[in-house]
Amino acid sequence: PVLIGVIGNDINGERLKNLMNEAGLDFNTIVVDDSRPTTAKTRVIANNQHVVRIDKESKQDISKEIEEKLLSILEANVNSIDAIILQDYNKGVLTSTLIERAIEIANAKNLIITVDPKFNNFFNYKNVTVFKPNKKETEDAFGRKINGDEELEKTGMELLEKINAQHVLLTLGADGIALFSKNDNVKRIPTKARKVADVSGAGDTVISTLTVALSAGANILEAAYLANFAGGLVCEEIGIVPIEPERLFNEVIKELEL
């Protein structure tokens, strides 16, 4: 992976740099902004359950200068990547301008581009490959509750049309995933979580697994199935943990054998 983002000039930024170096990742794609801190999340765990999270951060939009640096890094790497993930945390990095231009860059190169959105700029992610909000984010964006399958299907198809995505993958927590695609019926994939210990990182796991699967040639249903499975596995672990491919495939095989 090529990580593109913003950190502060502080100890947590140094920690990230060291972790990236240990993992063999290029730190030159990370922009240091002296005007903001590195986002740090402190999770409180009690009795193997995630209780609360304390964040230290700035949510101010990045400057035009930092915006241009990020886009330059993306353009410099675009010929060596197969897909782009826009992972939005509403921390001020994914501005409306950056979103629009990143999508333009991806579409010009015919790259897969997937999105894990938050409330801000929710409807700005137009013309992407996959848009992956959760149910609450979608309810907040539309200003209404989604009650029952009929309302779910109506909202999903409305969102698909509104942002002109190829696919909308709506995560529903314990109810799994609803997949909406152009010229196709809604598909439902039940959850694969067996014992939820900590939901931290589940959304990140789903979008990354989905994108890797699509890049490797899977169709959207296959990719969504694998992503849903990976998200279920990560919820069984305490803290932020990677799901290794071998473990994922072994669990899928076991499921198919049942």
Side-chain angles (χ1 to χ4, degrees):
V2 177
L3 305 185
I4 302 176
V6 178
I7 61 169
N9 185 13
D10 52 28
I11 186 65
N12 286 317
E14 280 297 312
R15 285 172 176 161
L16 179 65
K17 181 178 181 179
N18 292 336
L19 287 168
M20 287 180 66
N21 287 335
E22 286 172 19
L25 298 172
D26 184 2
F27 187 72
N28 291 324
T29 56
I30 301 294
V31 175
V32 179
D33 184 348
D34 290 334
S35 71
R36 64 198 296 132
T38 303
T39 296
K41 304 176 181 181
T42 303
R43 291 178 170 84
V44 179
I45 308 290
N47 294 325
N48 288 334
Q49 287 288 332
H50 182 192
V51 178
V52 70
R53 195 183 81 200
I54 304 153
D55 294 353
K56 295 178 182 177
E57 63 193 2
S58 166
K59 291 187 177 182
Q60 294 294 315
D61 278 359
I62 54 173
S63 66
K64 293 294 180 185
E65 181 188 356
I66 299 294
E67 204 174 70
E68 288 300 324
K69 284 183 179 179
L70 292 172
L71 287 165
S72 295
I73 291 167
L74 177 58
E75 288 174 331
N77 286 275
V78 75
N79 291 325
S80 63
I81 58 179
D82 300 302
I84 296 171
I85 300 173
L86 296 179
Q87 182 73 29
D88 199 345
Y89 296 100
N90 280 170
K91 307 298 186 190
V93 174
L94 287 177
T95 61
S96 57
T97 301
L98 195 147
I99 290 165
E100 184 180 328
R101 288 181 57 187
I103 293 170
E104 285 175 359
I105 290 166
N107 288 333
K109 294 288 184 178
N110 204 26
L111 295 177
I112 293 163
I113 182 159
T114 61
V115 179
D116 199 348
K118 282 287 186 288
F119 181 76
N120 298 347
N121 300 315
F122 190 86
F123 294 114
N124 287 26
Y125 291 99
K126 291 182 167 61
N127 308 313
V128 299
T129 312
V130 184
F131 187 73
K132 189 207 75 69
N134 63 33
K135 183 180 176 184
K136 184 182 184 305
E137 289 160 352
T138 306
E139 288 175 332
D140 290 345
F142 278 96
R144 65 176 188 249
K145 287 290 183 184
I146 300 173
N147 295 313
D149 289 346
E150 187 176 331
E151 184 68 23
L152 175 69
E153 187 162 344
K154 176 187 172 187
T155 304
M157 295 307 293
E158 187 179 340
L159 179 57
L160 187 70
E161 185 175 341
K162 193 175 181 73
I163 63 171
N164 194 40
Q166 292 180 34
H167 311 280
V168 166
L169 194 149
L170 188 54
T171 57
L172 308 169
D175 293 323
I177 283 176
L179 175 63
F180 303 86
S181 302
K182 289 183 175 179
N183 306 316
D184 202 357
N185 296 325
V186 61
K187 303 283 195 311
R188 295 292 295 271
I189 304 171
T191 183
K192 297 299 177 186
R194 290 163 293 254
K195 179 186 174 186
V196 176
D198 184 358
V199 298
S200 301
D204 306 322
T205 301
V206 169
I207 195 73
S208 55
T209 306
L210 179 92
T211 309
V212 167
L214 289 174
S215 300
N219 64 40
I220 187 61
L221 194 58
E222 293 165 340
Y225 180 86
L226 282 173
N228 188 44
F229 219 111
L233 290 175
V234 83
C235 287
E236 296 177 0
E237 306 287 344
I238 299 293
I240 307 300
V241 296
I243 299 300
E244 301 293 342
E246 187 177 1
R247 182 187 172 197
L248 175 59
F249 294 141
N250 286 340
E251 292 289 342
V252 170
I253 290 166
K254 274 196 275 182
E255 177 83 5
L256 295 174
E257 289 173 346
L258 291 177

